[in-house]
Amino acid sequence: MYKFLFFLCLPMLMLAQKQKLLGTVENTENEKLSTVQVELYNSRNELIKTLKTDGNGNFTLENISEQYVRLVIKNEGYSLFEKKLDLQKPEPLHIIMKKESHEIGEVVMTKRKPLVKRKVDRLEFNVENSNISSLNAWEILKNTPNVTVNNNVLAVKGSTGILVTINDKKVMLTGDELKNLLENTQGDEVKSVEVITNPPAKYEASGSAVLNIIMKKNKIEGYRGILSSKYVQTQYAKGVFGLSQYYKKDKLSVMASYYKGMGTYYREGTDYVNYLESQKRWVSTMNRKDKNYNQNTLNFNVEYELDSLTSLSLNYSGFFSPKSHGIYNVPTIIYNNQNIAESDYTTINDHQNRSINNSLSFQVDRKLNKKSSLSWINYFTGNNADKYQNVITSLNFAGQPPREENFMTQNKTDVQLYSTQADYHWKNEKFDLESGVKYSFVKTNSRLDFSDNENGMLQYRPDKSSIFDYKEHNFAVYSSLGYTIGKWNFKAGLRAEMTDLEGIVSEPYDRNKNKYWNLFPTFYTQYTTENKQEFGFSYGKRISRPTYSWLNPAKSYYNLFSYYQGDPKLKATITHNLNFIYSWKEWNLDLYYRKEIYPSMEISFQEPSTNSLIYYFTNIEKGEAFGLSLYKNFQIKPWWNLILSENLEHNENYFKGTDGILYKNKVWNWVSNVSTSFTLDKSNDWKLEVGHRYYSPGIQGTFRISNAWTAYFVMNRKFFNKKLDASFIFNDIFRTMGQKVSTQYANQDNYFLDYSDTQGFTFSLKFNFGNQSVKNAKTIKKTEEQERL
């Protein structure tokens, strides 16, 4: 009898022992959803099991005696998911949760993921879920948490020297060229911005922090395009127009875009130099007006899937500015100690610049099995610039007959960079391993030709001309390991970099050769409570190598009494970063400490013997800062949103003055960004935003920088079933972004007033044509193939 009952129940017992079903929960953006509630009901609709997904969105169903069950998954902001399962035919579950919509009054709002998501090693700002996607990439960075832009200089938590990457690929542009590239990058092509204060070992160690701009992938089958135009009115008019085209069919995806910019650029400045020795004050007024009617930005990307496991991608980006030209008329008045003008001179600076940048990358991604993948990427960048100026100075000094001086310079720079990198990634439910190698080679050549007048004719001056050749080899290996256990996430990594450099200056001859190894450790930990509070800590060591132009010692003259000069022996800056983070219900709080050893930066000093004001890049002794960053997104009403972003920092810079004494420059600095946005119609097509940014006084080496603030207004409206997108932006409404930058210690007493022509409005139009609907059939098929690994 017992044997009979045993054999009768054997199938059920075997079912109970062998049942083990694995599942993964993610959203439509392929983000794993943690702490999601999973419920299991039997055929009588009785709840038999409840559990939650882990930090990677995974869950496991086991020891279940029922054959037929109903799976229910609930998560706030997402539609309820239900599925009937036959546990005798178990198969892995790949569940995609869809966001839900609610109608509130006359406004339909879609509940979306938070704009800010905290990961163990970075902060992710989801642009596609915000109304700022109508802006360009440069304006988006201004609105990104922990990022500030002051005088077109990017900073993260007060630290400059930021490494900008696009889809994890380094952008070999700085200053105005980087700004132009990002201004011509449409916001609706940007998926998110990752703010990586302590970049993990996978990233090269250069730069105090990394801003990684992630571009959207084209998921729409067929052909579509975007025709865009933008008009900008500040002191003078500027415009941009362009065309973006996308094509996707089966395994092939192609994107190409071209943008052309043109206009006149303006900047106001006044220099004040007090010479204590002669008791005289020099005042120069320089209003810079440059015309550039041919700025071209070109992007091309093609991706091809050899199969569901292997993909190839080729990317090209180029920026071409054949001619930017202007004529500066700079009057200078010299006052004596009784404030009486006794001398003057006027400088006419006729100049033009040319700039070309090309970047080409090729990448192969291969999924080795369900847990591991391999990628190999190569990229080449070439940057070519040519700067010419003809400077005429009319001098009228007291006690001297009037005279005229003339000099001409031509500076040609060519930078070439090649890099290759291989990365291996392995991941299971608890461990996440990354490892790789990288080699890069940089070659730069800079030539300065200087001529001045002698007996009424321009003569070439070898002693003031120079050729600078620089080569740098960099080899790196890295490995990092992440570990997830319950509510804890850990990650640690180590990167080793070898740098071999050589810089040769022709006049006067100098050779600087150096070779060194550096180790860059990183560590992260994050704890998530039951109610989704997040606590984290991270440490990272970084290096900031000098920009190649900073190493050029040739004197680049602005006028007879002012020039810029680099230093071929600049040291790399070593930075140590500590961060403590706390996040809860979209409150994001960072406490941080930063120590910089030999920071490199541009400073100025006045030379009384020649009445010269010299700008040069140099290393100061050290810099230290600690501070607090706060970011909060308030959803006051379904149609009304408020963003608060604050950063309070104590910053200290230590530098040796011209008298050899060690000085300390310190300040409490506060940067505030408050903005509010409204959705004005039920179809979510009409939005507006107003905001305010405030910068309290700051420092940079010897400089003390005054406070500034700005107010702005943004309105965006979609028409014709979202095919036409119009936006209006009014920046620096009250013209309050002018700043005073001063140096005062020992016998140094000078300052300049600077205004970058930020007040103005922008009106832009974008028209979408072609297929605008997403077809998921191919994506689902590919996912199913990958699940069979």
Side-chain angles (χ1 to χ4, degrees):
M1 181 66 178
Y2 292 106
K3 292 181 179 180
F4 176 76
L5 290 175
F6 173 77
F7 283 110
L8 187 63
C9 298
L10 181 59
M12 187 177 297
L13 293 173
M14 292 178 65
L15 179 66
Q17 291 175 359
K18 293 183 179 180
Q19 280 328 357
K20 185 175 182 179
L21 185 59
L22 303 179
T24 303
V25 181
E26 61 182 41
N27 60 19
T28 53
E29 283 78 27
N30 299 321
E31 294 178 325
K32 310 298 184 184
L33 300 179
S34 60
T35 65
V36 173
Q37 184 167 313
V38 180
E39 297 177 349
L40 212 61
Y41 294 84
N42 61 19
S43 57
R44 298 179 299 279
N45 202 31
E46 297 171 342
L47 180 64
I48 59 175
K49 194 174 186 67
T50 300
L51 64 154
K52 290 188 177 182
T53 58
D54 62 16
N56 293 317
N58 299 321
F59 66 90
T60 304
L61 299 177
E62 54 186 345
N63 299 325
I64 301 168
S65 59
E66 304 279 348
Q67 177 180 350
Y68 299 102
V69 295
R70 182 168 58 94
L71 181 71
V72 178
I73 299 181
K74 301 175 181 178
N75 195 35
E76 184 180 358
Y78 292 86
S79 299
L80 185 72
F81 178 88
E82 293 188 63
K83 184 179 179 68
K84 291 183 179 181
L85 305 176
D86 182 355
L87 296 185
Q88 281 191 348
K89 301 175 182 178
E91 60 181 20
L93 293 170
H94 186 75
I95 298 166
I96 298 177
M97 302 288 286
K98 296 181 179 179
K99 296 162 187 168
E100 63 182 2
S101 296
H102 295 288
E103 185 172 341
I104 305 172
E106 295 183 353
V107 182
V108 174
M109 296 295 294
T110 300
K111 283 195 173 183
R112 301 180 175 182
K113 61 186 176 183
L115 291 177
V116 177
K117 182 177 180 180
R118 182 78 68 174
K119 296 183 178 180
V120 67
D121 59 356
R122 69 196 65 192
L123 184 145
E124 183 182 73
F125 184 52
N126 299 298
V127 173
E128 63 178 341
N129 280 354
S130 69
N131 62 332
I132 66 170
S133 62
S134 61
L135 307 178
N136 60 54
W138 180 257
E139 294 295 328
I140 286 172
L141 286 182
K142 289 183 179 181
N143 289 273
T144 300
N146 297 331
V147 178
T148 57
V149 181
N150 194 2
N151 277 331
N152 296 330
V153 177
L154 288 169
V156 174
K157 297 179 182 177
S159 177
T160 56
I162 306 304
L163 175 64
V164 176
T165 60
I166 296 178
N167 291 338
D168 285 329
K169 299 179 182 68
K170 183 177 180 180
V171 179
M172 290 297 296
L173 294 174
T174 58
D176 290 338
E177 291 180 347
L178 174 62
K179 179 174 179 286
N180 286 333
L181 172 67
L182 296 178
E183 282 183 334
N184 290 331
T185 301
Q186 300 298 314
D188 53 12
E189 297 177 5
V190 178
K191 181 178 185 292
S192 62
V193 178
E194 294 180 335
V195 183
I196 314 174
T197 307
N198 286 326
K202 178 181 178 179
Y203 291 86
E204 63 179 86
S206 63
S208 58
V210 172
L211 290 176
N212 184 34
I213 301 172
I214 300 178
M215 309 299 289
K216 292 180 182 178
K217 288 188 176 181
N218 183 22
K219 298 181 180 180
I220 299 179
E221 289 278 324
Y223 170 80
R224 67 187 180 96
I226 301 175
L227 187 64
S228 63
S229 64
K230 179 171 68 174
Y231 175 80
V232 181
Q233 181 64 59
T234 54
Q235 184 81 10
Y236 297 94
K238 292 173 278 291
V240 178
F241 64 88
L243 174 66
S244 298
Q245 300 180 86
Y246 306 83
Y247 176 77
K248 183 175 177 62
K249 182 67 174 177
D250 297 331
K251 299 179 179 182
L252 178 66
S253 179
V254 180
M255 184 279 290
S257 64
Y258 170 75
Y259 296 97
K260 182 180 180 65
M262 60 189 72
T264 301
Y265 299 82
Y266 183 72
R267 187 167 184 172
E268 296 179 2
T270 307
D271 287 347
Y272 298 81
V273 185
N274 298 309
Y275 291 101
L276 303 180
E277 294 80 3
S278 61
Q279 295 293 300
K280 292 182 180 179
R281 178 166 56 95
W282 293 42
V283 180
S284 301
T285 302
M286 183 165 65
N287 296 331
R288 289 169 276 188
K289 178 182 175 183
D290 289 284
K291 297 179 180 180
N292 192 333
Y293 295 139
N294 196 7
Q295 301 173 61
N296 305 275
T297 303
L298 179 64
N299 288 287
F300 175 78
N301 184 76
V302 56
E303 296 182 7
Y304 183 74
E305 299 173 0
L306 293 179
D307 52 47
S308 63
L309 307 177
T310 308
S311 64
L312 310 176
S313 66
L314 179 69
N315 179 266
Y316 167 79
S317 61
F319 176 75
F320 308 92
S321 177
K323 185 179 180 181
S324 172
H325 61 98
I327 300 176
Y328 300 163
N329 189 321
V330 188
T332 300
I333 302 176
I334 303 172
Y335 298 87
N336 60 21
N337 58 359
Q338 296 177 343
N339 204 31
I340 298 174
E342 62 176 25
S343 302
D344 66 83
Y345 68 92
T346 300
T347 301
I348 306 294
N349 186 312
D350 183 0
H351 61 275
Q352 63 182 43
N353 304 327
R354 176 182 61 84
S355 178
I356 299 174
N357 184 277
N358 291 286
S359 294
L360 182 68
S361 68
F362 174 71
Q363 184 168 344
V364 181
D365 293 291
R366 171 71 179 177
K367 200 170 183 66
L368 302 178
N369 52 51
K370 193 172 182 179
K371 296 181 179 180
S372 61
S373 61
L374 186 66
S375 66
W376 178 47
I377 180 172
N378 298 269
Y379 65 86
F380 170 80
T381 295
N383 193 354
N384 185 277
D386 190 353
K387 300 179 180 179
Y388 162 85
Q389 63 175 354
N390 187 5
V391 181
I392 300 174
T393 307
S394 300
L395 300 110
N396 184 23
F397 282 6
Q400 300 179 17
R403 71 182 195 276
E404 187 175 275
E405 298 284 350
N406 180 212
F407 71 85
M408 184 179 70
T409 66
Q410 186 154 15
N411 192 350
K412 295 183 178 181
T413 304
D414 183 69
V415 179
Q416 297 179 5
L417 179 144
Y418 169 75
S419 174
T420 182
Q421 179 171 342
D423 300 294
Y424 173 76
H425 186 202
W426 179 89
K427 184 177 182 180
N428 66 6
E429 293 181 3
K430 291 187 177 181
F431 292 95
D432 190 347
L433 173 67
E434 291 179 310
S435 190
V437 296
K438 180 179 180 180
Y439 168 76
S440 62
F441 171 68
V442 177
K443 178 182 179 182
T444 177
N445 174 269
S446 181
R447 179 185 181 96
L448 175 69
D449 293 329
F450 185 96
S451 304
D452 61 11
N453 61 330
E454 182 177 345
N455 298 324
M457 296 185 64
L458 286 172
Q459 299 288 330
Y460 175 72
R461 300 296 183 186
D463 56 323
K464 291 186 176 182
S465 302
S466 178
I467 298 176
F468 176 61
D469 287 306
Y470 180 81
K471 296 179 181 179
E472 179 181 300
H473 300 265
N474 191 280
F475 177 76
V477 293
Y478 78 89
S479 187
S480 69
L481 179 65
Y483 177 61
T484 301
I485 178 170
K487 300 168 185 171
W488 286 94
N489 283 331
F490 299 94
K491 188 173 182 178
L494 182 65
R495 186 181 183 94
E497 291 192 356
M498 184 275 291
T499 303
D500 185 1
L501 62 87
E502 181 182 47
I504 299 176
V505 184
S506 64
E507 185 64 40
Y509 180 83
D510 189 23
R511 180 172 179 262
N512 177 33
K513 185 173 177 60
N514 198 3
K515 183 177 181 179
Y516 57 89
W517 278 91
N518 284 109
L519 294 177
F520 302 96
T522 52
F523 175 75
Y524 317 85
T525 181
Q526 187 179 41
Y527 176 76
T528 304
T529 66
E530 288 285 353
N531 60 351
K532 297 188 179 181
Q533 295 186 69
E534 294 175 325
F535 299 86
F537 166 78
S538 67
Y539 164 76
K541 178 185 175 183
R542 306 288 294 164
I543 187 171
S544 295
R545 298 181 179 90
T547 302
Y548 310 119
S549 61
W550 298 3
L551 300 168
N552 188 354
K555 296 178 180 178
S556 181
Y557 285 86
Y558 301 121
N559 55 54
L560 285 177
F561 302 97
S562 182
Y563 61 86
Y564 154 83
Q565 185 175 26
D567 182 357
K569 296 184 179 180
L570 270 180
K571 300 175 184 177
T573 302
I574 299 294
T575 305
H576 298 272
N577 290 313
L578 288 171
N579 282 269
F580 298 89
I581 64 134
Y582 171 74
S583 299
W584 185 56
K585 291 186 178 180
E586 298 184 39
W587 285 96
N588 289 271
L589 181 68
D590 283 28
L591 294 170
Y592 63 91
Y593 170 77
R594 180 178 68 249
K595 183 176 182 179
E596 298 173 309
I597 302 171
Y598 298 122
S600 55
M601 60 187 66
E602 182 182 13
I603 64 175
S604 67
F605 76 95
Q606 57 200 73
E607 177 54 62
S609 61
T610 58
N611 294 315
S612 296
L613 185 62
I614 303 166
Y615 295 88
Y616 68 108
F617 279 94
T618 187
N619 294 109
I620 64 172
E621 295 298 306
K622 67 175 181 177
E624 284 187 293
F626 60 87
L628 179 149
S629 291
L630 174 67
Y631 183 90
K632 169 62 175 168
N633 186 346
F634 296 92
Q635 192 71 49
I636 301 174
K637 295 287 185 181
W639 46 269
W640 181 11
N641 193 62
L642 175 68
I643 293 178
L644 179 69
S645 180
E646 308 291 331
N647 190 87
L648 180 64
E649 176 182 280
H650 180 75
N651 195 6
E652 295 181 354
N653 282 180
Y654 296 80
F655 63 92
K656 282 189 177 180
T658 53
D659 53 5
I661 298 175
L662 183 66
Y663 290 88
K664 180 170 73 171
N665 206 0
K666 63 179 181 179
V667 71
W668 277 99
N669 175 252
W670 176 37
V671 179
S672 174
N673 186 355
V674 181
S675 64
T676 185
S677 59
F678 306 89
T679 302
L680 303 180
D681 68 333
K682 62 181 181 180
S683 59
N684 214 29
D685 286 342
W686 192 3
K687 300 175 182 179
L688 67 83
E689 176 182 343
V690 292
H692 172 272
R693 298 188 185 100
Y694 171 74
Y695 307 87
S696 75
I699 60 172
Q700 177 186 304
T702 64
F703 292 144
R704 296 191 69 87
I705 305 168
S706 70
N707 67 306
W709 68 277
T710 181
Y712 64 92
F713 171 83
V714 179
M715 184 167 63
N716 177 257
R717 183 77 162 93
K718 292 180 171 64
F719 302 91
F720 308 122
N721 197 25
K722 303 183 187 295
K723 288 188 176 182
L724 180 64
D725 190 328
S727 64
F728 175 81
I729 305 171
F730 192 177
N731 278 317
D732 196 11
I733 296 173
F734 302 102
R735 203 178 189 274
T736 48
M737 276 302 291
Q739 289 187 299
K740 175 182 178 181
V741 182
S742 58
T743 298
Q744 192 169 25
Y745 71 92
N747 68 338
Q748 302 293 299
D749 187 6
N750 61 79
Y751 66 91
F752 64 90
L753 304 178
D754 180 62
Y755 177 70
S756 300
D757 194 28
T758 52
Q759 185 187 48
F761 67 86
T762 301
F763 179 71
S764 63
L765 290 173
K766 286 186 289 185
F767 178 70
N768 300 279
F769 59 91
N771 181 33
Q772 301 295 320
S773 61
V774 178
K775 296 179 181 178
N776 283 322
K778 301 295 180 182
T779 304
I780 294 171
K781 183 176 179 181
K782 175 185 173 183
T783 302
E784 290 172 349
E785 286 184 39
Q786 292 180 338
E787 285 297 332
R788 292 201 297 265
L789 287 175

